């Protein structure tokens, strides 16, 4: 349930009412340099931490958290910390189902009160969606739709993308689905954000145009 939650300090600025963030990075080191203070602050505030990482990233991720003084074992045992892979979270049964993922995030948000946590700080590594490009259209639509979930809750949700892995057109679409953005390590309000009703109309028209375009074959 949305309430008047205190702002959260993050990446040289603050998260206020809008807390769905796309964060663009050039490297793992840059990503953790920006994220770790935010993550550590969340543990100290008693917020729940949900981290979604690449399958081969788990050990490095835990080591980086331990290096800043986070006892991940104790936090997992208490229920404060959940570490998941992006494959098991987004691609259950090998496919990406937008409706199922909306339910997953709604449950994560609504579960805060039951678990005794004021809110969740959710950090998701999004490499799975851009590898091969097969999930990009569905992902962009989902990133827009999920704003309807986050506008009703106080959770902070950070979707991280590495710029070397995505094309320029995809970067623009991803930016347009997040009200907040991190570029160059600095959090800022996103001037390119488009409300989800408007964006969904546009992207579905785009798909219709693609599927109904006449063949150019001779």
């Amino acid at each position: 349930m949305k309430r008047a939650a205190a702002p959260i300090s993050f990446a040289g600025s603050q998260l206020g009412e809008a807390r769905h963030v796309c964060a663009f990075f050039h490297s793992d080191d840059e990503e953790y340099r920006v994220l770790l203070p935010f993550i550590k602050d969340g543990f100290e505030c008693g917020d729940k931490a949900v981290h979604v990482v690449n399958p081969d990233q788990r050990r490095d991720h835990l080591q980086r958290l331990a290096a800043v003084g986070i006892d991940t074992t104790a936090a997992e045992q208490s229920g404060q910390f959940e570490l998941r892979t992006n494959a098991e979270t987004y691609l259950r049964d090998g496919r990406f189902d937008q409706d199922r993922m909306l339910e997953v995030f709604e449950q994560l948000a609504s579960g805060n009160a039951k678990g005794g946590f004021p809110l969740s700080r959710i950090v998701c590594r999004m490499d799975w969606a851009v590898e091969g490009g097969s999930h990009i259209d569905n992902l962009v639509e989902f990133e827009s739709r999920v704003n309807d979930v986050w506008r009703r809750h106080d959770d902070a949700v950070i979707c991280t993308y590495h710029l070397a892995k995505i094309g320029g057109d995809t970067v623009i679409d991803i930016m347009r689905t997040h009200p907040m953005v991190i570029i160059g390590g600095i959090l800022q309000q996103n001037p390119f954000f488009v409300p989800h009703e408007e964006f969904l109309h546009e992207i579905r028209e785009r798909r219709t145009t693609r599927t109904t375009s006449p063949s150019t074959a001779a």
Side-chain angles (χ1 to χ4, degrees), residues 26-84:
H26 292 283
S27 67
D28 286 351
D29 287 343
E30 180 190 14
E31 178 176 353
Y32 281 101
R33 185 168 60 250
V34 173
L35 293 182
L36 281 174
F38 165 80
I39 290 171
K40 185 176 182 181
D41 177 65
F43 278 99
E44 293 173 349
C45 289
D47 296 338
K48 186 177 178 71
V50 180
H51 298 170
V52 181
V53 300
N54 296 330
D56 60 357
Q57 188 189 359
R58 288 178 61 98
R59 178 179 295 181
D60 179 64
H61 186 73
L62 291 171
Q63 289 175 342
R64 290 179 186 261
L65 297 186
V68 296
I70 298 170
D71 187 339
T72 56
T73 300
E76 284 185 302
Q77 291 173 347
S78 71
Q80 186 181 13
F81 178 44
E82 291 183 28
L83 180 60
R84 309 178 177 192

Side-chain angles (χ1 to χ4, degrees), residues 66-209:
V68 296
I70 298 170
D71 187 339
T72 56
T73 300
E76 284 185 302
Q77 291 173 347
S78 71
Q80 186 181 13
F81 178 44
E82 291 183 28
L83 180 60
R84 309 178 177 192
T85 68
N86 44 32
E88 67 192 10
T89 302
Y90 289 100
L91 300 175
R92 188 182 304 170
D93 304 321
R95 65 188 184 90
F96 177 56
D97 185 321
Q98 293 188 42
D99 293 329
R100 181 183 64 80
M101 283 308 307
L102 289 172
E103 292 177 5
V104 167
F105 282 125
E106 181 67 57
Q107 289 168 4
L108 281 175
S110 301
N112 293 331
K114 296 177 185 177
F117 302 103
L119 57 89
S120 291
R121 299 193 188 201
I122 303 170
V123 178
C124 300
R125 181 75 170 261
M126 305 301 292
D127 291 357
W128 64 271
V130 297
E131 291 173 352
S134 59
H135 300 291
I136 282 295
D137 281 353
N138 273 336
L139 169 73
V140 169
E141 183 173 343
F142 168 75
E143 287 278 39
S144 183
R145 292 179 67 194
V146 79
N147 283 305
D148 189 50
V149 174
W150 301 130
R151 71 179 176 82
R152 292 183 277 106
H153 298 281
D154 295 313
D155 307 88
V157 187
I158 320 301
C159 306
T160 73
Y161 294 87
H162 281 215
L163 288 165
K165 298 184 178 183
I166 52 179
D169 290 345
T170 301
V171 169
I172 296 300
D173 273 346
I174 291 168
M175 286 185 68
R176 296 176 73 210
T177 61
H178 293 75
M180 304 297 291
V181 62
I182 291 176
I183 297 179
I186 301 298
L187 174 71
Q188 53 194 301
Q189 189 169 352
N190 183 5
F192 301 104
F193 174 65
V194 177
H196 75 276
E197 297 91 346
E198 180 182 341
F199 185 83
L200 290 177
H201 177 72
E202 176 188 326
I203 198 169
R204 288 165 183 171
E205 278 199 338
R206 193 189 305 173
R207 285 178 177 171
T208 301
T209 300

